[in-house]
Amino acid sequence: MSENQKSNIVNLQSTIKFVGIIGSGTMGSGIAQVAATAGCKVKLYDTYQSALDKAKAALEKILARLVEKGRIDATEKSRIQSNISYVDKLKDLSDSNLTIEAIVESLEVKKKVFSELESYVSTDCIIASNTSSLSIASIASSLQKPERCIGIHFFNPAPLMKLVEVIPAIQTSKEVLEKSIQTISDWKKTVAVAKDTPGFIVNRVARPFYGEALRIYEEGIADFAMIDAAMKEAGGFRMGPFELMDFIGNDVNYTVTETVFTAFYFDPRYKPAFTQKRFAEAGYLGRKSGKGYYDYDENGKRVIQSDSEESQDEKLSQQIFNRILIMLINEAADALFLNIASAKDIDNAMTKGVNYPKGLLAWADEKGIDWCVDKMDELYNEYHEDRYRCSPLLRRMNKGNKTFFN
Ligand code: NAI
């Protein structure tokens, strides 16, 4: 064994104890809770005292509810709380072994914070970003030691969602990747390793769930409620695409779609829909604005205004579900084809990051690869749009009579 390999093993065995979180908003405070629950000493930093106060009060409320429900006891509550300290200077994070940044989604601001942070922390501190849409390579380039930079992408709400995408940049060292995977696994999360490409796994593979649903609506095939009902009843999804877009916010969901589309050099597969753009422009953001594809009362509860859910045409439902499913499967297969992640990680990402009822590649096996290729070819033959091109991997597998998981 070489000296280098030996030192790697030593590195991997030492566990991360001191964690610095930058930004105490929705994601930062959730990640702080996860790390503190796992026993780390966490320092949560924000530039705004009000954001720190809000995070502290929110954690008290969340933990008190967990005690009420009997999920944790009072000792555990105070253990978690005493593991977190709230700081208002970046320099206070100087003793961290790992820092995770969750501030505003701006490359310029993140780069500035990262280069300042690097001047305070020790040379072996891992510097991670929770970014959803920026390239890790570009963030890492702001550091003197870019090999210590990595993407560690949690899902909202971080304490509840099992999945964490870990994204090494081309600069990231193998040790930093391995230590990050180990740490996130120690925090009892499911890790999916993704290539540093737009949308990583989930935000790439999930695009057709929204995009194809919007296209079906725009073609006049079905209304919002019919499409949602099809995905829930025929597909077993917990929420339909329009309900989910209303939940996420049409402004937020539209921006992700547009960002992914632009980042993929305008690949028509990711083309945003005018319907959603207009809803966002009109302020029909969904649940948070009281109106989106559906209406909501002041408590965010849906006001039922359509009876189309009750009068579902079963054949149409199945067609709608099949069309959205095959577009999702094709996207998942293409992500595997381009080595974005392993088959296992792609399926885990969708079941644990966005609660899909089944992994898409396992679903492809179940439906049959020949069925998948036929469905994509049907769509392509009808529309002659590049959007409906079948992934070469599905075609290759079909010829070789292969499946994703034996
Ligand atoms: P947020 O707006 O809730 O929180 C951001 C916090 O960062 C605020 O408290 C703000 O005061 C603080 N902040 C801003 N600039 C700062 C600076 N220069 N130094 C220190 N603190 C600063 O934002 P959210 O939703 O928590 O998102 C944070 C990051 O996580 C973004 O990169 C976002 O793309 C990513 N993300 C968000 C998800 C979501 O569902 N909200 C999911 C996964 C990732």
Side-chain angles (χ1 to χ4, degrees):
M1 189 184 290
S2 72
E3 275 311 303
N4 195 18
Q5 278 171 319
K6 266 189 211 158
S7 75
N8 289 352
I9 288 169
V10 172
N11 244 338
L12 287 177
Q13 281 172 346
S14 62
T15 48
I16 300 272
K17 186 101 187 79
F18 298 98
V19 177
I21 309 280
I22 306 162
S24 68
T26 313
M27 295 308 294
S29 52
I31 299 166
Q33 185 188 332
V34 172
T37 305
C40 295
K41 292 283 174 204
V42 179
K43 283 185 184 160
L44 184 54
Y45 159 75
D46 204 288
T47 36
Y48 295 95
Q49 186 58 45
S50 58
L52 291 170
D53 295 341
K54 203 172 144 199
K56 195 172 183 180
L59 182 67
E60 165 62 34
K61 215 168 143 190
I62 291 166
L63 296 178
R65 209 176 306 141
L66 290 180
V67 173
E68 241 173 64
K69 286 187 188 164
R71 301 258 182 86
I72 58 171
D73 60 19
T75 320
E76 174 69 353
K77 175 174 175 280
S78 45
R79 185 190 68 89
I80 296 169
Q81 282 172 312
S82 68
N83 275 347
I84 306 182
S85 50
Y86 299 81
V87 301
D88 60 3
K89 282 181 217 63
L90 193 56
K91 206 174 177 178
D92 292 333
L93 307 187
S94 60
D95 61 355
S96 309
N97 314 122
L98 163 70
T99 60
I100 304 178
E101 163 279 315
I103 62 170
V104 56
E105 190 73 334
S106 150
L107 180 59
E108 210 185 315
V109 180
K110 287 189 199 284
K111 277 182 154 182
K112 205 163 151 269
V113 170
F114 272 46
S115 68
E116 187 189 337
L117 176 71
E118 194 176 31
S119 68
Y120 303 133
V121 295
S122 67
T123 50
D124 60 354
C125 172
I126 296 176
I127 299 185
S129 174
N130 184 52
T131 182
S132 294
S133 65
L134 299 169
S135 99
I136 308 302
S138 62
I139 298 175
S141 72
S142 63
L143 298 177
Q144 303 284 336
K145 267 178 66 104
E147 63 274 20
R148 60 157 90 195
C149 186
I150 193 160
I152 299 187
H153 183 223
F154 286 79
F155 289 77
N156 188 16
L160 296 184
M161 301 305 289
K162 285 298 280 178
L163 183 77
V164 177
E165 291 176 334
V166 171
I167 310 109
I170 46 174
Q171 302 101 313
T172 310
S173 74
K174 194 164 166 275
E175 296 78 53
V176 166
L177 171 62
E178 286 174 356
K179 202 159 176 177
S180 302
I181 294 172
Q182 185 60 55
T183 303
I184 300 302
S185 310
D186 289 346
W187 294 1
K188 306 216 164 53
K189 295 288 180 190
T190 302
V191 170
V193 178
K195 216 185 215 178
D196 184 16
T197 48
F200 310 134
I201 306 172
V202 171
N203 282 333
R204 172 194 190 123
V205 175
R207 297 294 13 110
F209 189 68
Y210 317 106
E212 205 52 27
L214 282 155
R215 172 71 185 250
I216 289 168
Y217 165 76
E218 287 181 348
E219 284 184 31
I221 295 170
D223 65 15
F224 306 138
M226 284 164 84
I227 299 169
D228 279 350
M231 293 313 283
K232 289 189 288 184
E233 279 153 34
F237 285 80
R238 284 195 207 167
M239 284 173 106
F242 294 97
E243 286 171 329
L244 190 52
M245 285 185 273
D246 268 0
F247 182 76
I248 296 168
N250 278 304
D251 50 344
V252 173
N253 191 259
Y254 178 78
T255 305
V256 175
T257 309
E258 201 181 38
T259 309
V260 169
F261 179 55
T262 312
F264 275 111
Y265 308 110
F266 307 103
D267 184 330
R269 239 182 20 218
Y270 306 110
K271 196 157 122 190
F274 280 119
T275 299
Q276 191 175 30
K277 187 164 202 267
R278 295 290 179 264
F279 269 66
E281 287 166 348
Y284 295 172
L285 308 182
R287 207 174 273 217
K288 65 186 172 188
S289 71
K291 187 173 175 57
Y293 300 113
Y294 303 104
D295 290 337
Y296 299 87
D297 66 19
E298 56 281 3
N299 302 317
K301 217 169 161 284
R302 177 145 154 226
V303 181
I304 302 289
Q305 74 266 68
S306 162
D307 63 355
S308 52
E309 269 177 285
E310 286 105 67
S311 55
Q312 274 299 308
D313 169 340
E314 248 178 64
K315 195 163 157 239
L316 181 62
S317 269
Q318 197 60 45
Q319 282 169 351
I320 292 169
F321 162 61
N322 282 344
R323 179 164 163 182
I324 297 174
L325 177 67
I326 188 54
M327 289 296 278
L328 285 166
I329 287 175
N330 194 50
E331 199 56 54
D334 218 51
L336 181 63
F337 176 58
L338 296 171
N339 291 304
I340 304 306
S342 69
K344 182 171 154 266
D345 282 0
I346 291 173
D347 270 16
N348 268 341
M350 304 318 283
T351 52
K352 303 209 156 86
V354 270
N355 292 326
Y356 281 17
K358 267 179 229 171
L360 293 167
L361 300 176
W363 221 331
D365 282 350
E366 199 181 294
K367 288 281 195 184
I369 305 299
D370 52 345
W371 180 88
C372 298
V373 172
D374 285 351
K375 284 281 166 216
M376 283 312 293
D377 284 348
E378 258 174 43
L379 284 167
Y380 187 82
N381 288 336
E382 184 171 356
Y383 294 102
H384 286 275
E385 285 178 52
D386 205 28
R387 171 189 183 90
Y388 297 111
R389 65 185 189 269
C390 180
S391 171
L393 179 61
L394 285 174
R395 230 179 259 296
R396 201 182 283 165
M397 286 172 64
N398 193 31
K399 277 200 194 118
N401 235 340
K402 297 242 167 64
T403 54
F404 288 105
F405 307 98
N406 51 83

